[in-house]
Amino acid sequence: MKIGVLNLEIGNIHSVFSAINNLGFNTQILDNAFDLDNCSHLIIPGIGNYNKLMNLVLKKNYGKEIQKFAKTGKPILGICAGMQILSTFGYENEKAKGLNLIPGNVVSLKTDNEINDLPHIGWNSVRLIKKNKLLQNIKDLSDFYFVHSYHFELDDTSNSLAKTQYLQEFNSIINYKNIFGVQFHPEKSQKNGLRLLHNFCSI
């Protein structure tokens, strides 16, 4: 078993690597698309702009390799912007095509322009709506750490595992077949985040 952490030069790559390595799993930072072949699990971290992240995916020739990895049935976890690029399209600044691994679109959270309420930063509770092996031993309304201004609108709402309220209710954990996404940062979410990462690596 080897957990691959994709290096897109943006996001908490080393924090994710350290968290999983400290959990006792064999972990590797992937600098080459073809390194995916040797992995049992794939994690896509990310912070910031959807378009920039997708441009890095294409520049490094990761796109087709990630899609090929998904077809093998091996587990994939997208974190924050890494979750968002699993979508069909993103609408941050301008429309951009995503990896289309979980059907849906990434759009801005609703905001009152008179109040500087974006980005959504800090601890917030996650309401679990479906049972899943990713959520084993995680209590309903547990707190996780968020940093984002956009959210994932699913084409099929049954692909949502959990929701969070901030300005509006949004999907904070999603799942389609072997592909998972979390809008928060488990590597920054203390024991609840470590439990979720442990659960993913154990799938």
Side-chain angles (χ1 to χ4, degrees), residues 83 101-104 129-130 132 152-163 171-177 179-181:
M83 161 187 165
L101 295 179
I102 301 181
I129 58 176
K130 288 179 72 174
N132 190 280
F152 200 125
E153 286 189 340
L154 291 161
D155 286 358
D156 184 349
T157 57
S158 69
N159 291 330
S160 180
L161 297 181
K163 293 181 180 290
N171 299 302
S172 47
I173 307 178
I174 60 176
N175 167 232
Y176 176 68
K177 296 183 178 179
I179 304 162
F180 300 86

Side-chain angles (χ1 to χ4, degrees), residues 7 12 17 39 48 62-63 67 72 85 105 122 133 144 165-166 172:
N7 183 6
N12 295 326
F17 171 84
C39 295
Y62 282 140
Q67 290 166 337
T72 66
I85 64 170
N105 299 310
K133 47 198 167 186
F144 292 86
Q165 179 68 42
Y166 181 78
S172 47

Side-chain angles (χ1 to χ4, degrees), residues 110-129:
K110 295 175 183 176
T111 181
D112 183 341
N113 291 328
E114 296 180 1
I115 303 174
N116 185 19
D117 46 18
L118 287 177
H120 171 207
I121 300 178
W123 295 89
N124 207 336
S125 58
V126 169
R127 180 173 65 87
L128 308 182
I129 58 176

Side-chain angles (χ1 to χ4, degrees), residues 50-55 57-58 67 84-92 94-101 104-105:
Y50 185 108
N51 303 38
K52 183 176 181 179
L53 202 59
M54 275 306 303
N55 285 338
V57 167
L58 298 175
Q67 290 166 337
Q84 293 180 355
I85 64 170
L86 300 174
S87 65
T88 310
F89 291 104
Y91 291 85
E92 187 170 353
E94 59 184 21
K95 184 178 180 180
K97 185 179 290 186
L99 293 168
N100 197 29
L101 295 179
N105 299 310

Side-chain angles (χ1 to χ4, degrees), residues 140-196:
D140 188 24
L141 301 179
S142 291
D143 287 340
F144 292 86
Y145 189 81
F146 291 82
V147 184
H148 67 116
S149 299
Y150 289 76
H151 71 106
F152 200 125
E153 286 189 340
L154 291 161
D155 286 358
D156 184 349
T157 57
S158 69
N159 291 330
S160 180
L161 297 181
K163 293 181 180 290
T164 295
Q165 179 68 42
Y166 181 78
L167 301 177
Q168 66 186 91
E169 191 172 59
F170 62 87
N171 299 302
S172 47
I173 307 178
I174 60 176
N175 167 232
Y176 176 68
K177 296 183 178 179
N178 54 309
I179 304 162
F180 300 86
V182 294
Q183 185 56 71
F184 49 82
H185 287 274
E187 76 281 5
K188 291 185 175 183
S189 298
Q190 300 179 1
K191 64 178 183 180
N192 290 322
L194 291 176
R195 168 52 60 186
L196 185 139

